[in-house]
Amino acid sequence: VSETVTNLLMAIEAVWTWNRYNFYEKGNSFITDISLLYVKLIKMAEKRNWSLLPSQFSEYFIFIYSGGKLHALTPSRFCSSPEDNSPYHVIGCVGTCSIKPSTILSKDSKLIFHFKHPSATSCKLPGECGFILKTVPSEAALWTLRLCTKKEEYNNEQVHFHDEIRAENMYIYFSHVSILKLKFMFPLSWSGGLAADKIQKWESCISIGSNCRFKVIYKFK
């Protein structure tokens, strides 16, 4: 896995996307050793000093193709226990979203998050502590999101910003709930940006319902 991969979720997404691409796009038939995949991903996390995922990720379903069949990859194997003091905090975008991620990310949009940083212990500002991620529309293959840090960008907004919040501590993903009430997520990021073509291909494989949401895992240690 490339050195541009900087956390365990990003590594899982990279393997997952490669697996799905080779099966769906290329029509390749191959065998994936799921047991070995667990071992290699955990060893990589240890070698690169990555933290385990927060316990909330154990609720998702991830399927890997092997021998033409779907096999479950259990996210809980990569998660810390609820009792552990995880360095990650999961932050959901305010409200749910019934629009495809590519529709939002390809135009001027704002994603609003409520989040009180542990360092902001005595905040008395009006509204909720949090932050805004603003889309940066582009014709390029990789889209980007920008963390709004200027005071004027929060005028007339329901949240206010604290300087302790850092963009480099964030990683964004998209979660959705199937008609069978199963919780899934799919990758947005690729090589340091939001990969337009890959997002659109993922969207073609799922049904975007009303209970979908952009989420951020924020590392504050």
Side-chain angles (χ1 to χ4, degrees), residues 4-37:
T4 61
V5 176
T6 56
N7 62 59
L8 184 52
L9 177 57
M10 199 173 180
I12 293 170
E13 288 184 343
V15 172
W16 192 11
T17 301
W18 178 92
N19 179 274
R20 198 176 188 98
Y21 173 78
N22 275 276
F23 183 79
Y24 267 124
E25 299 292 319
K26 296 294 186 180
N28 293 333
S29 179
F30 52 87
I31 302 296
T32 303
D33 188 330
I34 304 297
S35 297
L36 183 60
L37 183 57

Side-chain angles (χ1 to χ4, degrees), residues 24-97:
Y24 267 124
E25 299 292 319
K26 296 294 186 180
N28 293 333
S29 179
F30 52 87
I31 302 296
T32 303
D33 188 330
I34 304 297
S35 297
L36 183 60
L37 183 57
Y38 284 122
V39 172
K40 286 192 173 292
L41 284 170
I42 291 298
K43 283 187 175 180
M44 183 182 300
E46 293 172 349
K47 181 179 179 181
R48 299 193 185 184
N49 199 30
W50 293 338
S51 299
L52 293 175
L53 298 176
S55 59
Q56 293 96 318
F57 276 80
S58 62
E59 67 185 11
Y60 292 116
F61 286 83
I62 296 175
F63 292 102
I64 297 292
Y65 291 93
S66 178
K69 297 180 181 179
L70 282 170
H71 298 266
L73 185 69
T74 309
S76 59
R77 297 277 293 271
F78 306 109
C79 294
S80 57
S81 70
E83 294 76 25
D84 290 340
N85 191 15
S86 173
Y88 288 114
H89 190 84
V90 178
I91 314 164
C93 183
V94 174
T96 55
C97 171

